[in-house]
Amino acid sequence: MSILRHLQEDERFSLDDLTDRLANQGRKIGLIIDLTDTDRYYDYRDVEDMDIEYCKIRVPGHQDVPEHSCRKFFRVVDSFLRDNRHNDKLIGIHCTHGINRSGYFIVRYLIEVFGLEPNDAISAFNRARGHQMEKYTDDLRRRIPGIATQVTSSDSDENDYYVKRDRPLPYTRPSVDPMSNDCSAKASEINL
């Protein structure tokens, strides 16, 4: 990833680092939900090449979270948990900084699906993340425990985690060492 060349070695944390740390704990990630509104951080095929499912839910930062994005998130998480109820695979959820958008989706799920009180869900996320959510907390505090966003038939026309329009195709993969300053790229094709 060419974006890593701008970071010091001790500031880098890659998908390999994540999977290695989890493996050392006897855990495995089964799904990554990417909430960024960009494709610049990594190539989703690298995730899938590691036998990890991938879901892209484009959520622009610095604005209210669209309700349809929450419905999709709930469907994806519910489907993954149902399909993996006989194992302990984890779900990795990220946005750009891993705090506000990620926190919003996770906390809403804790409130609306698991029935936690809003303040308890926000506190649980903040403790687990180690950083306080800075946005969306007023909206989250108005949520009603156990009242999950209703999924309508038009919302569930896709049974898969993603649709083709979610895929940034064709994607350009770096053709050289991502740590070098040479950013030349080679276009690649994918047929879905």
Side-chain angles (χ1 to χ4, degrees):
M1 294 179 209
S2 60
I3 201 165
L4 292 178
R5 75 174 182 272
H6 299 292
L7 297 174
Q8 298 296 322
E9 187 73 33
D10 63 339
E11 295 175 325
R12 297 177 187 154
F13 189 77
S14 68
L15 183 59
D16 288 330
D17 294 327
L18 174 64
T19 56
D20 289 347
R21 286 187 189 182
L22 289 173
N24 290 338
Q25 298 172 11
R27 307 296 305 266
K28 183 175 181 186
I29 194 158
L31 168 66
I32 290 181
I33 301 176
D34 176 355
L35 301 172
T36 63
D37 192 28
T38 183
D39 303 311
R40 69 182 180 171
Y41 296 123
Y42 59 91
D43 185 338
Y44 72 89
R45 293 174 295 182
D46 294 337
V47 173
E48 292 176 339
D49 288 349
M50 297 178 82
D51 198 29
I52 299 170
E53 295 177 62
Y54 175 86
C55 175
K56 176 76 161 186
I57 302 175
R58 290 186 177 278
V59 184
H62 310 293
Q63 55 187 288
D64 291 340
V65 174
E67 194 62 31
H68 67 86
S69 297
C70 289
R71 288 192 304 266
K72 182 174 182 177
F73 179 86
F74 285 18
R75 281 194 318 271
V76 169
V77 171
D78 287 345
S79 178
F80 181 83
L81 293 176
R82 182 183 58 249
D83 293 348
N84 290 277
R85 66 183 169 275
H86 300 297
N87 65 51
D88 61 353
K89 288 184 181 177
L90 303 172
I91 301 173
I93 301 163
H94 76 86
C95 54
T96 304
H97 299 107
I99 300 169
N100 293 307
R101 279 175 287 176
S102 296
Y104 181 79
F105 282 86
I106 293 167
V107 171
R108 264 197 72 177
Y109 193 85
L110 292 173
I111 295 168
E112 296 180 23
V113 176
F114 284 168
L116 269 66
E117 289 296 325
N119 284 331
D120 293 339
I122 293 167
S123 293
F125 175 80
N126 288 339
R127 276 191 314 275
R129 175 62 176 86
H131 192 284
Q132 302 293 307
M133 285 182 66
E134 299 163 355
K135 299 178 184 174
Y136 308 122
T137 54
D138 290 339
D139 176 85
L140 291 167
R141 285 187 177 98
R142 290 190 296 269
R143 299 290 165 179
I144 300 169
I147 306 296
T149 304
Q150 297 298 313
V151 177
T152 65
S153 59
S154 63
D155 292 330
S156 60
D157 56 295
E158 275 298 328
N159 291 326
D160 208 349
Y161 289 156
Y162 57 84
V163 292
K164 288 182 183 181
R165 69 178 175 274
D166 292 330
R167 298 303 195 177
L169 298 175
Y171 189 89
T172 304
R173 287 189 180 190
S175 61
V176 296
D177 178 3
M179 298 305 153
S180 76
N181 286 327
D182 183 359
C183 294
S184 61
K186 179 177 122 183
S188 59
E189 296 267 335
I190 291 183
N191 298 317
L192 292 177

